[in-house]
Amino acid sequence: MRTGSTHVTTLSTTHWIDGAATGTASLPSEDPANGQVLGHLADGGATEAQAAIAAARRAFDRSAWAASPRLRQRVLLDWAAALQAQAGALAELLTRENGKVIAQARGEIAGAISEVEYYAGLARHIPGHVLEPEPGVLSTVLREPAGVAGIIVPWNAPAVLLVRALGPALAAGCTVVVKPAAQTTLFNAALLAPLLQHPQLPPGVVNVFSEAGSAGAALLASSHEVDAICFTGSTAVGKTIMRSAADSMKKLSLELGGNSACLVFADADIGAVAPRLAQAATIISGQQCTAARRVLVHASRLGQMKRALAGALDALRLGPGIDPASQVGPLIDRRSRDAVAAQVAQACAQADEVLLRGGVPDGELAQGAFLKPALVYHRDSGADFVQEEIFGPFLVLESFEDEAEAIARANHTVFGLSASVWTHDGARALRVARALRNGTVWINAHNKLLPEVETGGYRQSGLGRLHGYDALADFTELKHIYQAPGVAGAAP
Ligand code: NAD
């Protein structure tokens, strides 16, 4: 896949396999704010996946890539510098294809560049260790690249979610096949163009194919020539991938769904916290795995929180992401918008109290995939609409009497991605953070994700960790080499 040149406004992309463009751009990609066609992408499948896997296998087995950490760092640093030079245009394209507001797109591009730089640094520091378990016996443990990695990227944060997998995979010395989401393939092509065209990148080290369906992605999961798969998406597809991967026993990195709870204790300043929770719930229009979905507030502050949260959500300005005044953009497409709107309507019909009904806005915004935020209050944390991940601007408010109930309610979920605790009591904040069964817990903050810090899920939110040093574990194998040189002076 490429953009024809490295210029990001060329909106026509093909596959990129073994160092060359292939395929025909035929599938339209639309701006979710207004339905306008932005460009076209190639519609591949199992054939392209097979060719890409074969190219990645050859590059891993025959090129110098896996054994050249300095080359890997050079390529990653040059890629980061090229992205920096185009950061503004990339952010605009991200907003146009994904819908997110421009400030969030700019933040995502900056985060992605920072993350490429971070993994460029690590490329030259992937140490193993040596120990002497018995006198005269040396056990050398090396961290080696896992081989060919398949990376399946979603549309909601297509810069950071690609880079947090591709960065450690390339730093570790893997070769890769990337399958972007069809909805944001044009953006991913622009992001990848300077990397794919790097003169020192051996052909086949990075291959990319796009598809409207999922036959190619399914082949990545089942192929015996793919050594590691990194999937970011829903828990349901994650389970399917796990089943398909079983026969080949490949390494699995699964970053799946979430249902984040925000625990607000009685000492919190409700007036200050509510707008931050409203923002945390509507980031990327609520289409972020870590978005706030449940607010658990101490019973003594319930009435105040109902008013403050409904007010803060209602005050958010919906509009095209490209308009700097917009605070919430459209959902990814009208099909998703309709599905989420139906889930929210059903929740409103079942909830104890509807505090903000949300719904599809009229007027100019009706042309796009917009949905107004909704808020309900409900007592039973077992209700379907509390337990499911509704991937849009929808928030459930619950209340608790004490710390134990707050923890029990928050842990009443099959997910375990992230949560937040809001209180001025430092000891309580840490105590509760330790008791929550989540990969990330924020204290007096939400949605803070950093290139240097591992993110991942407990329970059905996934396997493995991305971002940070530990992401290398998902793309490496440990090898033990045993040597017995003996001890000087001892009998051989
Ligand atoms: P999705 O599960 O619908 O994923 C769609 C992708 O899965 C497509 O790329 C498709 O090709 C692929 N796919 C479908 N069937 C497949 C199969 N049988 N084998 C292999 N691949 C297959 O998810 P989505 O709508 O793209 O993303 C939204 C979900 O992603 C939400 O659940 C969200 O929480 C999750 N997410 C998680 C994180 C995280 O870090 N944990 C980050 C972002 C998004």
Side-chain angles (χ1 to χ4, degrees):
M1 180 196 313
R2 70 175 185 183
T3 52
S5 74
T6 54
H7 197 258
V8 296
T9 54
T10 311
L11 298 177
S12 171
T13 75
T14 56
H15 314 295
W16 183 269
I17 297 172
D18 210 10
T22 166
T24 313
S26 57
L27 270 181
S29 177
E30 291 177 6
D31 181 338
N34 52 28
Q36 280 173 10
V37 173
L38 290 169
H40 294 83
L41 54 127
D43 188 9
T47 305
E48 288 73 18
Q50 192 59 61
I53 293 167
R57 186 82 259 160
R58 277 193 302 278
F60 186 77
D61 293 340
R62 297 185 203 159
S63 83
W65 184 253
S68 308
R70 291 179 186 166
L71 169 64
R72 303 201 296 265
Q73 182 185 58
R74 182 73 270 142
V75 168
L76 287 170
L77 285 176
D78 289 349
W79 182 30
L83 294 180
Q84 189 61 58
Q86 307 174 28
L90 283 166
E92 279 189 20
L93 180 54
L94 175 53
T95 284
R96 292 230 180 261
E97 200 174 26
N98 164 282
K100 67 179 63 182
V101 297
I102 190 70
Q104 288 172 16
R106 289 194 185 116
E108 185 178 343
I109 299 295
I113 293 169
S114 170
E115 189 140 357
V116 175
E117 290 169 342
Y118 173 78
Y119 285 109
L122 289 190
R124 286 171 70 174
H125 190 71
I126 307 182
H129 54 272
V130 181
L131 51 121
E132 188 174 13
E134 294 165 13
V137 168
L138 294 182
S139 281
T140 301
V141 182
L142 295 170
R143 198 169 271 288
E144 297 189 335
V148 174
I151 299 176
I152 303 171
V153 192
W155 43 262
N156 64 336
V160 162
L161 300 183
L162 170 63
V163 158
R164 72 174 185 172
L166 186 55
L170 294 179
C174 289
T175 59
V176 299
V177 179
V178 175
K179 207 293 284 175
Q183 296 93 327
T184 45
T185 292
L186 297 179
F187 169 77
N188 273 140
L191 188 83
L192 284 165
L195 172 67
L196 301 179
Q197 292 161 14
H198 193 290
Q200 284 170 273
L201 184 77
V205 168
V206 183
N207 307 275
V208 191
F209 74 93
S210 49
E211 61 179 353
S214 55
L219 188 69
L220 288 180
S222 63
S223 169
H224 284 242
E225 294 298 315
V226 174
D227 303 285
I229 194 106
C230 180
F231 170 75
T232 301
S234 66
T235 295
V237 173
K239 288 181 184 181
T240 304
I241 288 178
M242 207 169 176
R243 281 189 283 269
S244 326
D247 196 52
S248 59
M249 286 277 172
K250 56 174 55 70
K251 289 172 77 73
L252 287 175
S253 167
L254 299 175
E255 302 294 330
L256 309 177
N259 194 0
S260 290
C262 312
L263 288 66
V264 184
F265 287 89
D267 66 325
D269 177 349
I270 303 293
V273 170
R276 296 181 67 188
L277 296 178
Q279 213 175 12
T282 55
I283 186 168
I284 325 177
S285 306
Q287 304 165 112
Q288 177 156 315
C289 53
T290 58
R293 309 225 177 266
R294 301 169 65 194
V295 171
L296 279 51
V297 68
H298 187 263
S300 65
R301 313 300 295 276
L302 178 62
Q304 201 185 349
M305 182 60 98
K306 281 182 182 175
R307 291 186 294 279
L309 201 48
L313 287 165
D314 201 29
L316 290 169
R317 185 174 166 153
L318 250 65
I322 210 71
D323 177 352
S326 300
Q327 292 171 296
V328 181
L331 272 66
I332 187 64
D333 51 34
R334 288 171 68 129
R335 197 164 58 105
S336 282
R337 192 271 314 271
D338 292 344
V340 173
Q343 286 176 299
V344 171
Q346 196 175 14
C348 287
Q350 292 167 358
D352 290 341
E353 193 179 343
V354 177
L355 299 165
L356 196 64
R357 195 166 288 277
V360 175
D362 11 272
E364 271 184 24
L365 297 186
Q367 301 301 313
F370 293 91
L371 191 61
K372 293 189 281 187
L375 173 68
V376 300
Y377 167 72
H378 200 64
R379 288 177 193 82
D380 175 15
S381 60
D384 286 351
F385 64 85
V386 183
Q387 290 293 318
E388 283 165 12
E389 183 192 41
I390 297 181
F391 214 52
F394 172 67
L395 201 48
V396 179
L397 179 60
E398 300 164 57
S399 63
F400 60 83
E401 295 293 338
D402 56 25
E403 190 177 297
E405 189 192 352
I407 293 165
R409 274 186 177 269
N411 283 339
H412 183 197
T413 167
V414 296
F415 297 108
L417 192 60
S418 57
S420 57
V421 184
W422 301 78
T423 174
H424 296 300
D425 179 341
R428 166 170 276 167
L430 199 54
R431 202 164 57 229
V432 172
R434 294 299 309 274
L436 293 173
R437 305 274 299 148
N438 291 97
T440 298
V441 180
W442 295 285
I443 295 173
N444 296 322
H446 201 99
N447 286 330
K448 294 283 179 198
L449 299 163
L450 304 162
E452 301 86 349
V453 184
E454 288 75 7
T455 306
Y458 281 35
R459 300 189 280 191
Q460 293 187 31
S461 286
L463 291 177
R465 292 293 180 269
L466 293 179
H467 303 298
Y469 192 84
D470 272 30
L472 291 171
D474 286 8
F475 300 98
T476 50
E477 292 280 9
L478 284 182
K479 177 177 284 172
H480 169 209
I481 300 176
Y482 174 95
Q483 287 170 287
V487 176

